[in-house]
Amino acid sequence: MIGIMGGTFDPIHFGHLRPALEVCERLSLTQVRFIPCSVPPHRAQPMATARQRLKMVGLALANTPQFFLDDRELRRGDNASYSVDTLRSLLEEFDEPLALMLGADAYLGFNRWKNWREILGMANLVVSCRPGHKIPKLESWAKGRVVESAEELEKYKAGKIMFIEVTQLAISATDIRRQLLDGLSARYLMPIEVADYINKHQLYRNVEEYDETRDYGIANIIDLERHAVLSG
Ligand code: ATP
Ligand code: MG
C-alpha cells in the first residue's frame, strides 16, 4: 500500500513529516508520496511560489528512502488540485492500493471534498490523530468503514478508514509564516535544510515584497496583517 500525503506545504514542517513516518512504519507502507497542491485563484494563495514549495519538500524528504516528492499536481498546471484526479492518475501508474493520509482537521472536512464518494472508491483513508483522542468524531459518512488494525486494512483496496495515533506536534505552516513575518526563526520546527533554504531566500519575511498580481497570495498576507493588528 502506498501512502499519499497531499498539502500546500507552505512550508513543509515536522507536523507533516513525523506523522507520515509513523503511519508509514505502522502500516508497512511501501512508500509515501508527498504531493504539493496547486491552489485555485479565488482561494488564499501560498506565500511561496510553487517552485519554492517543491524545493522545500524535496529538501525535507531527501534522507528518508520511503518518502518521495511527487509533483504531478503542479505539473498538471491546472488552477485547482482535486484529489479525485490525482488518485486516478496514481492508480494508473502504480499497481498497489492507496492510503490517503489526512490530519484530523482534513478528515472532518472530507465529505465536502469534490467527489469524495468516488475518492473512497479509489483509496483507503488513514487519519492521524492525537493520542488519547482516538477517533476525533465519527462522521455519519464514516460509519461502517472503520478498521482497527493494519492487518485488517491490508485486506481492502479502498473505502476503509483507519485512525492512527501519532506523536502530536502542534506545528502549523500558518504559525510558521507568522513567526517568520515577525522576524523570528523557524528552526527546529522543520528539517534544518528547509529552515536554511527559507533563510537563504528570505521567504515569508516581507509583506511588501508580495504583489497581488503575482501568484503569492495576498489573502494570506491580509490575514497576517489583521492578526498583527489584533494581537498588537
Ligand atoms: P496551513 O497552516 O497553511 O493550513 P498546515 O500546516 O495545516 O498549513 P497543510 O499543507 O495545510 O499544512 O497540511 C497538509 C496535511 O497535513 C493535512 O492533511 C493536515 O491535516 C496535515 N497536518 C498539518 N499539520 C499537521 C500536524 N501538526 N500534525 C498532523 N497533521 C498535520
Ligand atoms: Mg492546513
Side-chain angles (χ1 to χ4, degrees):
M1 199 174 298
I2 299 177
I4 305 302
M5 180 75 195
T8 318
F9 304 124
D10 186 32
I12 190 164
H13 53 71
F14 286 139
H16 301 124
L17 293 159
R18 180 67 209 178
L21 184 62
E22 291 184 13
V23 168
C24 179
E25 292 183 331
R26 212 83 60 80
L27 298 183
S28 305
L29 300 177
T30 53
Q31 56 166 295
V32 178
R33 303 190 70 80
F34 284 71
I35 312 185
C37 63
S38 57
V39 178
H42 56 273
R43 289 236 311 263
Q45 294 295 297
M47 278 176 74
T49 63
R51 187 185 296 269
Q52 289 165 337
R53 290 187 291 125
L54 268 180
K55 179 72 189 174
M56 290 188 281
V57 176
L59 288 169
L61 308 186
N63 295 316
T64 309
Q66 307 97 304
F67 285 1
F68 291 87
L69 170 62
D70 186 322
D71 66 354
R72 74 187 62 221
E73 292 193 357
L74 294 171
R75 245 186 306 122
R76 218 162 44 216
D78 306 343
N79 282 328
S81 304
Y82 290 112
S83 298
V84 67
D85 303 324
T86 303
L87 293 172
R88 198 176 295 114
S89 119
L90 286 160
L91 284 173
E92 280 165 17
E93 182 174 339
F94 297 99
D95 197 19
E96 267 183 84
L98 305 175
L100 185 60
M101 301 162 84
L102 302 175
D105 57 329
Y107 156 74
L108 290 172
F110 178 76
N111 63 334
R112 293 187 292 277
W113 289 19
K114 187 187 172 207
N115 299 352
W116 62 272
R117 285 173 201 280
E118 201 181 327
I119 292 176
L120 282 172
M122 292 194 282
N124 291 311
L125 303 189
V126 178
V127 182
S128 60
C129 44
R130 194 185 291 267
H133 300 244
K134 200 162 188 215
I135 295 178
K137 179 172 152 238
L138 197 55
E139 302 285 293
S140 56
W141 58 267
K143 296 219 168 88
R145 297 184 179 273
V146 177
V147 298
E148 302 288 346
S149 68
E151 294 69 40
E152 206 185 338
L153 189 69
E154 274 285 295
K155 298 182 197 148
Y156 298 92
K157 286 198 155 83
K160 294 295 173 187
I161 305 176
M162 186 170 167
F163 296 92
I164 299 188
E165 293 183 8
V166 296
T167 303
Q168 201 63 25
L169 300 168
I171 303 173
S172 81
T174 300
D175 289 341
I176 291 173
R177 292 194 299 273
R178 200 168 279 152
Q179 285 167 356
L180 287 163
L181 201 59
D182 284 344
L184 303 173
S185 171
R187 281 201 168 207
Y188 309 125
L189 296 173
M190 57 181 65
I192 189 69
E193 293 81 3
V194 180
D196 285 346
Y197 180 86
I198 288 175
N199 235 354
K200 182 166 172 215
H201 297 275
Q202 290 291 296
L203 302 185
Y204 310 107
R205 285 289 188 200
N206 192 348
V207 174
E208 279 79 54
E209 85 191 25
Y210 294 99
D211 166 354
E212 201 167 354
T213 59
R214 297 169 72 187
D215 74 337
Y216 286 120
I218 203 71
N220 274 342
I221 295 161
I222 291 166
D223 268 340
L224 288 169
E225 283 174 333
R226 192 177 301 135
H227 175 81
V229 169
L230 290 176
S231 60

